Amino acid sequence: MFGIKALFILLATGCSASYSPENGGHTEVNLHSPVHDRISTGTAYSMSSAVKVISVKGELSGHGSGNYFKLRGERFIMTAAHNINDSTGVFVEERNGNRVGATVVFSEQSQDVAILKLDAELVSTQAVPYKVNANPNIVGQTLYYTSNPSELEYILTKAFVSKSRTDTLMLQANAWYGSSGAVVFDKQGKVCGTVTGILVGHGPIVPQGLENYVFVSRVSFLTKERIQEILGGGRY
């Protein structure tokens, strides 16, 4: 990918693996970060629509990230396809702990994106308008996403686009297990893609991140019309 010879890790279950207690230790962190400056539409959308995506596989469960959208009367969750691979159950969890069952109605492995339909409406998460940034070259732009790395919850990340293609972005940003599936927004609130993995080197015990490079799968093929087809049909 981009001609870089390095190890690329997907950030969800199994070898891709979303975060679960089996992946690491325990941390208690309280984050208080009031925003005093006027924030962009993309920042606001990222924070207000963010959810956890809980994947159940037998007796084990792990989590990834996702975001809540609205489109012409429909509501749906966008996340990474590898978050829900081989799952026996999928749930969406809000910031207040409320959990709602979800059904996978679309999964595209090549672009690592999935669409979920909810069994009930979310109660504290804002569904934001779905609109896509289809510009193939957005090098130098500032993007935003909110994810759930490891045991940390709802971490807002500001990212710089280092490389851009029609199907992939490489960002200077931060992510870890549990960040997968977070939707990346531009300043105008348009969707640029979903967090899919990070570039890592070989550490003495566990892989170490290289300059915090994060990979994003573009979703420009998921036009408004395509999303409507998916939500109106069954599983694809």
Side-chain angles (χ1 to χ4, degrees):
M1 190 174 292
F2 296 122
I4 297 172
K5 294 184 179 179
L7 181 61
F8 174 65
I9 306 185
L10 291 177
L11 299 175
T13 39
C15 172
S16 7
S18 32
Y19 179 80
S20 65
E22 291 76 18
N23 295 131
H26 300 278
T27 305
E28 291 186 6
V29 178
N30 292 316
L31 298 176
H32 299 281
S33 181
V35 178
H36 300 289
D37 298 327
R38 183 177 180 180
I39 62 176
S40 69
T41 300
T43 306
Y45 281 6
S46 169
M47 293 188 295
S48 62
S49 66
V51 296
K52 278 187 180 181
V53 176
I54 311 295
S55 172
V56 179
K57 300 182 180 183
E59 297 181 355
L60 299 177
S61 66
H63 77 260
S65 300
N67 290 77
Y68 188 34
F69 291 95
K70 60 183 178 182
L71 177 62
R72 298 167 186 166
E74 296 283 358
R75 299 288 188 273
F76 64 95
I77 300 292
M78 179 173 284
T79 187
H82 73 258
N83 280 342
I84 47 83
N85 284 349
D86 305 318
S87 297
T88 55
V90 179
F91 299 88
V92 170
E93 182 177 287
E94 302 185 75
R95 289 176 186 259
N96 65 356
N98 178 52
R99 283 191 182 186
V100 173
T103 301
V104 181
V105 294
F106 176 83
S107 180
E108 174 56 60
Q109 301 299 320
S110 64
Q111 283 304 109
D112 197 23
V113 61
I115 302 296
L116 312 179
K117 257 191 173 181
L118 297 166
D119 295 344
E121 292 292 324
L122 300 184
V123 298
S124 66
T125 307
Q126 178 183 342
V128 298
Y130 181 76
K131 45 189 176 179
V132 178
N133 182 333
N135 188 343
N137 186 5
I138 56 174
V139 169
Q141 288 196 23
T142 300
L143 308 180
Y144 307 90
Y145 59 89
T146 299
S147 68
N148 301 282
S150 189
E151 289 189 345
L152 300 179
E153 295 184 320
Y154 300 101
I155 303 300
L156 174 65
T157 299
K158 178 181 178 180
F160 177 83
V161 182
S162 299
K163 287 196 175 184
S164 176
R165 298 196 326 192
T166 56
D167 61 346
T168 317
L169 298 176
M170 186 169 72
L171 311 179
Q172 289 183 33
N174 296 288
W176 196 241
Y177 294 100
S179 294
S180 275
V183 174
V184 181
F185 295 87
D186 65 14
K187 288 184 177 180
Q188 291 72 43
K190 293 182 180 180
V191 172
C192 295
T194 57
V195 172
T196 188
I198 58 174
L199 189 66
V200 301
H202 295 285
I205 300 176
V206 296
Q208 302 295 312
L210 295 177
E211 300 298 329
N212 300 319
Y213 285 124
V214 176
F215 288 98
V216 170
S217 288
R218 302 298 300 269
V219 295
S220 55
F221 69 99
L222 287 174
T223 62
K224 289 182 178 181
E225 292 71 24
R226 182 69 178 113
I227 292 288
Q228 281 192 291
E229 290 178 5
I230 290 167
L231 297 177
R235 180 186 289 268
Y236 280 72

